[in-house]
Amino acid sequence: MRSRLPAWTASLTWKSACFIVVMCCSLAAVLGALVHVEVTRQTVATAREKALAKLHDASRAYEAGEALPPESGLDPEGLPPQLRALAVGGHRGTIVADHRGRPTMWAAAPADGRALATAVDYEQSARTISGLDNAIIGSSVLAIGGTLLVGAFAVTRVTRRLHQTATVARRITQGDLDARVGDPRTKDPSRHQDEVATVAGALDTMAGSLQAKLESERRFTADVAHELRTPLTGLQAASELLPEGRPTELVRERVRTMRQLTEDLLEISRLDSGSEAVETDLHQLGRLAGRVVRASGTRTEVVVVRDAHVETDRRRLERVLGNLVANAHKHGREPVVLTVDGPVVTVRDHGDGFPDYLLSHGPQRFRSGAKSKGHGLGLTIAVGQAEAIGARLEFRRAEGGGALAVLSLPGS
């Protein structure tokens, strides 16, 4: 298995810091190497010229039979063997080697089958090169640290704006359509916008357009439902005057279906607008669940594993449980079991289970599966009412088959 890096390593700040460090280190290494090579070459060339000049003086003194300069002689002690062999072979050369614990520049030339050599102290030149290397390393560390601080400050400013934009996008996803980034660069047309400001402006524009569209659809749905209410009430009253018979029953059934659909649309509109206040009180959950099942008139088994008292809006909670029970009987198969386990209520049927789209994205109005005749409003209302009372409604596949709705009330 591949080892996974910590989550913080995925941040743009960390990646930018690593990039800055790598680039600074690479640049410092290249420049340091170039400076070191050039200074070393010049220092060695100067020391070599000095050693060869001293060797020239020693050669003239040797040919004239005069005393040799200091640190000069024939086959002197400490002469590197490779330089001695070079001189005995008839060539002149130089080499840097340690002599008596100190770096020394040796120069040698042939002299009657022997090696005439001279030594020049190279310690100061070596200290110069070493000091230069230390200065390069120190300045590189300081430059990398300073660049990293400045780069981290600049990158953090960008990532902070990106985090703000992402936070606003998540708030919009969760339903807060009033959320805006409000980047000041997007409000002043005279200022040039960078890429982050462009994204923030596009997000704000999208949120405004989405909010206007949803508000328009919400008003349209509410207006249509209100306008349908009056003629449907009259139609229902007129259907009661029709003579009894199969056609009359069909008409009354269609009218009841239309009225229920209209009421559902009005309830969804009220949930979307948040116009209704939540009225909470303390209720015994097991007793309330039993009352909901009896009111539904369905064969639903109620199992109370652990009863609990919850502070909630009774009407809204009954609406949620009633819709879950009705959906289980309409789209699933018996047996349907409602279980109370503390502040958690589950409704399970033994049908084919919830469709994939519902498990992934939640219920969608006017969509309830290819084989269903429903409108998808019951579960939509259940989710909306659950959110209104601060509960969490989840849809799962039950073990062994079937659909499982889990309602977790506050405090669970």
Side-chain angles (χ1 to χ4, degrees):
M1 295 180 61
R2 294 174 57 187
S3 59
R4 299 185 61 182
L5 295 175
W8 57 267
T9 59
S11 66
L12 183 59
T13 303
W14 186 84
K15 292 179 179 178
S16 300
C18 290
F19 176 76
I20 292 173
V21 170
V22 170
M23 293 303 298
C24 287
C25 290
S26 301
L27 182 61
V30 171
L31 292 179
L34 291 176
V35 172
H36 171 81
V37 169
E38 182 61 23
V39 172
T40 301
R41 185 187 65 80
Q42 292 180 3
T43 303
V44 172
T46 301
R48 180 181 292 112
E49 290 177 0
K50 185 177 180 181
L52 291 176
K54 188 176 180 180
L55 178 63
H56 179 69
D57 294 339
S59 298
R60 292 180 59 184
Y62 176 76
E63 293 174 356
E66 300 176 355
L68 298 178
E71 300 295 332
S72 301
L74 293 172
D75 296 328
E77 179 184 359
L79 180 64
Q82 59 269 37
L83 184 60
R84 184 192 306 272
L86 181 68
V88 171
H91 300 284
R92 176 179 296 192
T94 60
I95 192 172
V96 176
D98 284 340
H99 179 54
R100 297 174 183 172
R102 302 178 65 179
T104 303
M105 172 67 76
W106 287 94
D112 299 329
R114 302 174 67 186
L116 176 64
T118 185
V120 175
D121 186 18
Y122 192 73
E123 185 175 7
Q124 182 62 38
S125 299
R127 281 201 300 265
T128 300
I129 296 175
S130 178
L132 176 65
D133 291 341
N134 293 333
I136 291 175
I137 295 174
S139 60
S140 298
V141 172
L142 291 177
I144 291 172
T147 305
L148 184 59
L149 291 177
V150 175
F153 174 74
V155 172
T156 302
R157 292 190 61 186
V158 175
T159 55
R160 187 185 302 116
R161 293 166 59 197
L162 288 175
H163 282 305
Q164 181 184 2
T165 304
T167 301
V168 171
R170 283 191 289 268
R171 288 173 56 189
I172 294 173
T173 302
Q174 295 170 359
D176 184 7
L177 298 181
D178 293 325
R180 298 291 186 275
V181 179
D183 195 313
R185 295 169 180 77
T186 62
K187 300 177 181 180
D188 188 359
S190 63
R191 298 180 63 179
H192 295 291
Q193 297 185 13
D194 57 11
E195 289 77 3
V196 179
T198 302
V199 172
L203 180 62
D204 288 347
T205 302
M206 181 198 70
S209 301
L210 180 62
Q211 185 178 31
K213 182 178 179 180
L214 291 179
E215 288 293 339
S216 176
E217 292 181 356
R218 185 180 302 163
R219 287 194 300 268
F220 175 77
T221 302
D223 292 343
V224 169
H226 278 292
E227 292 298 327
L228 287 176
R229 221 174 184 184
T230 300
L232 285 175
T233 301
L235 186 59
Q236 185 176 17
S239 66
E240 298 297 331
L241 301 177
L242 295 175
E244 296 297 331
R246 181 59 181 167
T248 300
E249 292 179 3
L250 292 176
V251 171
R252 290 174 181 173
E253 181 185 353
R254 295 296 182 268
V255 171
R256 283 194 298 269
T257 302
M258 286 293 294
R259 286 207 64 181
Q260 183 61 48
L261 177 59
T262 302
E263 294 299 326
D264 288 346
L265 289 175
L266 284 173
E267 187 170 358
I268 288 177
S269 298
R270 290 192 293 268
L271 288 172
D272 289 342
S273 62
S275 58
E276 288 188 342
V278 177
E279 300 176 358
T280 61
D281 200 356
L282 195 63
H283 300 279
Q284 186 177 354
L285 193 54
R287 182 181 301 173
L288 187 146
R291 185 165 57 245
V292 169
V293 170
R294 289 192 297 272
S296 68
T298 60
R299 292 189 299 177
T300 302
E301 180 183 358
V302 179
V303 178
V304 179
V305 177
R306 179 169 55 94
D307 206 350
H309 287 80
V310 294
E311 186 174 357
T312 187
D313 189 319
R314 180 183 60 82
R315 181 186 66 82
R316 293 177 183 270
L317 180 56
E318 288 180 345
R319 178 67 158 151
V320 174
L321 296 179
N323 282 14
L324 293 178
V325 170
N327 182 81
H329 282 280
K330 185 175 183 179
H331 302 290
R333 287 191 298 270
E334 295 184 358
V336 175
V337 182
L338 187 151
T339 304
V340 177
D341 188 1
V344 179
V345 183
T346 60
V347 178
R348 179 189 176 178
D349 62 58
H350 290 74
D352 297 329
F354 292 116
D356 293 335
Y357 81 86
L358 191 146
L359 295 174
S360 302
H361 306 290
Q364 301 176 21
R365 59 193 70 176
F366 298 107
R367 180 179 180 183
S368 59
K371 299 180 180 179
S372 173
K373 298 180 180 179
H375 301 95
L377 300 181
L379 294 183
T380 302
I381 293 174
V383 171
Q385 294 289 16
E387 291 177 353
I389 61 177
R392 184 175 70 256
L393 181 57
E394 299 175 283
F395 302 97
R396 307 172 185 170
R397 285 196 174 95
E399 294 183 5
L404 178 66
V406 182
L407 178 66
S408 303
L409 294 164
S412 58

